[in-house]
Amino acid sequence: AAERLPLDFVLCLGAHSMRDEDLFGGLLPKEGEDREEYMEHLPADAKHVWTCRVGRQPSQARHYVDDEREAAALLAQLGAATRIGQEKEREQAAVQLQLDEAAAASIDGDAVGERAAAAADEQSLRSALECMDEIEEQISGFQLAFFLDYDGTLTPIVENPSEAKLSEEARSVVRALSYRFPTAIVSGRARATAQGLMQLDGLYYAGSHGFDILGPDGSNYKMAESFRPSLEEAKVKLEEQLAHIAGALVEDNNFSVSAHYRMVAEEEREAVNEAVERIVAEMPMLRRTYGKMVYELRPSAEWDKGKAVEWLIENWIKRSCELPVFPIYIGDDVTDEDAFRVMGGLGGFGIIVSDFPRLITDTAASYALRSPLEVLHLLDHFAFSSPSAPPSERISALVAGGSAAESESEASPFVERRTPAERYSER
């Protein structure tokens, strides 16, 4: 097993309850003792311990955030900081591999390594959160429109697709976003499934990779309804051929059929691939596409998420906007590249969601975010930002847990006024 990395910090985050207060108190220094009561149960290298309360009521916690939204933003910020070391290790490993290959070929390894490192820096995507001032300049004078993937973008990727539930915090942010800007969910899921997961009116929904589109007013556009009988037949065949493979899931997305193999044992995944290949060979009216641990059968029509976004803007969204439309598409999957590729022609840009954006070299996206929590952070800014506050200051204030203008008199006597983000920056 790999050697355990040193424990950088421990964050204890809780609401107001006796059990939370007991834990907060147990992590406080005791007079005459080197370590706190509960610290005895933590590794010896856990040198940085924070206690943080959600809300401003009196508490033994040393820090606070105002609500669940700020807690999510804080966790996104800390998660991004924690992954930096892992990302650098991955990059160093990639460069070392090139060095080894160069040495084996009797090439100047140092020169190859330098070129590889320089190329990685040039091609790496910048975080959208770190470029908010630049983004604000680009969108000035335009009508923003947001297009959001669901799985891996608004919710984390999970083994079973049915377990990808949207948090109430994310739902409230997307709801608020839709009040200000046209907002669409563009998903590989069936349109009705996407609606059921979001539970929000007032959105545009493009399900089945854009083959089934619904507007906020109930208008509906279906691209390939004549393919439904073939897709139903393909679903039955897939279910029959994958029935003996543990963990294989077949999902009917109305205008596509998905074969999920995330929960399939490694040695049986090729059997899933072969089953999909056989069906495509038998049914030329369908084509196979790829996603994250999923094969999909779609109509052979020339249509994808990018074309769906173009259609939505041209036929519905533009008609309700006085200003030119500036689209922002956020997604994490291979299928979202179709939308990223058309963003430039539409006058907007794409944002890819990836744990390791600096390792991505083959995307048409312009910026990156590391997780659904960072997506929520970005959307929160556009949904709730104050026009009078510069964007970089607004996001910093969100993570810091309140306005710097708040007076010391408002603080609880039990709460230190420095927030976790401020304490972390001091290290």
Side-chain angles (χ1 to χ4, degrees):
E3 184 179 351
R4 185 181 70 81
L5 295 174
L7 188 60
D8 193 29
F9 62 84
V10 174
L11 172 65
C12 178
L13 181 67
H16 188 63
S17 72
M18 293 303 294
R19 283 174 295 183
D20 291 331
E21 288 302 318
D22 178 59
L23 184 55
F24 292 152
L27 292 171
L28 288 172
K30 302 296 189 300
E31 186 175 352
E33 297 182 11
D34 293 333
R35 289 173 67 83
E36 296 79 0
E37 177 184 351
Y38 290 162
M39 286 289 286
E40 295 296 334
H41 302 286
L42 298 177
D45 56 359
K47 298 177 181 178
H48 305 282
V49 178
W50 299 338
T51 52
C52 183
R53 191 213 189 290
V54 181
R56 302 195 186 192
Q57 292 87 341
S59 172
Q60 297 180 82
R62 294 289 188 174
H63 311 280
Y64 74 89
V65 290
D66 277 325
D67 53 30
E68 292 87 348
R69 199 170 68 248
E70 292 190 3
L74 170 65
L75 293 174
Q77 197 90 339
L78 292 175
T82 303
R83 284 191 292 267
I84 288 175
Q86 298 173 333
E87 189 175 326
K88 287 182 178 178
E89 288 181 5
R90 290 273 298 274
E91 290 171 352
Q92 290 169 358
V95 171
Q96 187 60 49
L97 179 61
Q98 293 198 21
L99 285 172
D100 294 342
E101 291 174 348
S106 300
I107 299 176
D108 183 352
D110 290 338
V112 173
E114 289 172 3
R115 289 198 299 271
D121 286 339
E122 289 177 3
Q123 296 175 6
S124 63
L125 290 173
R126 294 173 297 161
S127 167
L129 295 177
E130 295 173 0
C131 299
M132 289 304 300
D133 293 315
E134 174 185 309
I135 289 173
E136 288 285 344
E137 290 181 8
Q138 292 183 57
I139 66 178
S140 178
F142 290 90
Q143 168 65 62
L144 280 178
F146 287 89
F147 299 86
L148 312 172
D149 184 24
Y150 183 83
D151 295 280
T153 300
L154 294 176
T155 66
I157 292 291
V158 294
E159 288 190 344
N160 191 329
S162 64
E163 297 174 357
K165 306 297 184 183
L166 189 69
S167 69
E168 287 304 319
E169 293 77 21
R171 184 173 290 109
S172 67
V173 169
V174 176
R175 180 189 293 112
L177 187 75
S178 70
Y179 291 158
R180 298 188 66 183
F181 311 107
T183 302
I185 303 299
V186 186
S187 173
R189 304 255 196 168
R191 187 256 304 161
T193 301
Q195 282 182 276
L197 291 166
M198 292 300 300
Q199 298 178 30
L200 289 176
D201 298 324
L203 303 181
Y204 297 89
Y205 288 94
S208 303
H209 301 284
F211 279 87
D212 186 1
I213 303 175
L214 183 73
D217 61 355
S219 300
N220 191 208
Y221 177 74
K222 296 180 179 180
M223 171 59 192
E225 199 158 13
S226 61
F227 285 84
R228 273 299 299 161
S230 297
L231 288 164
E232 289 173 0
E233 181 183 350
K235 175 180 176 289
V236 172
K237 288 184 176 181
L238 259 181
E239 288 175 334
E240 290 175 351
Q241 296 189 33
L242 300 182
H244 68 287
I245 300 178
L249 295 175
V250 177
E251 184 179 12
D252 184 352
N253 299 313
N254 202 23
F255 288 94
S256 69
V257 178
S258 300
H260 298 271
Y261 57 91
R262 185 176 298 275
M263 296 189 293
V264 174
E266 186 73 33
E267 61 272 15
E268 292 193 277
R269 290 178 177 176
E270 181 57 29
V272 179
N273 174 51
E274 292 173 355
V276 173
E277 281 187 343
R278 284 194 296 271
I279 291 173
V280 171
E282 296 170 6
M283 306 182 72
M285 72 290 295
L286 302 180
R287 62 189 174 101
R288 175 166 74 164
T289 60
Y290 304 83
K292 287 186 175 179
M293 308 295 281
V294 61
Y295 300 119
E296 293 187 290
L297 296 174
R298 298 194 218 169
S300 56
E302 289 296 320
W303 197 258
D304 52 43
K305 288 183 176 182
K307 289 183 170 57
V309 170
E310 289 177 321
W311 190 94
L312 264 171
I313 292 174
E314 189 63 34
N315 291 276
W316 287 353
I317 294 177
K318 272 187 178 180
R319 296 178 182 180
S320 61
C321 298
E322 296 180 2
L323 296 173
V325 174
F326 191 110
I328 296 178
Y329 189 101
I330 308 178
D332 75 302
D333 206 347
V334 177
T335 59
D336 296 310
E337 289 295 332
D338 294 322
F340 293 152
R341 281 190 284 270
V342 304
M343 284 296 105
L346 294 172
F349 58 73
I351 301 175
I352 190 169
V353 184
S354 170
D355 286 337
F356 301 103
R358 293 190 65 188
L359 299 177
I360 297 175
T361 58
D362 56 350
T363 181
S366 301
Y367 300 98
L369 293 169
R370 296 176 186 271
S371 66
L373 281 175
E374 287 200 357
V375 174
L376 185 61
H377 193 166
L378 179 79
L379 299 181
D380 179 277
H381 164 71
F382 287 107
F384 299 105
S385 63
S386 168
S388 61
S392 57
E393 292 181 13
R394 169 67 183 85
I395 287 184
S396 296
L398 176 64
V399 178
S403 169
E406 292 169 343
S407 67
E408 292 290 332
S409 62
E410 295 176 342
S412 158
F414 294 97
V415 177
E416 198 173 316
R417 281 303 294 174
R418 284 176 296 173
T419 62
E422 293 168 338
R423 177 64 65 86
Y424 187 80
S425 66
E426 293 172 2
R427 289 180 44 208

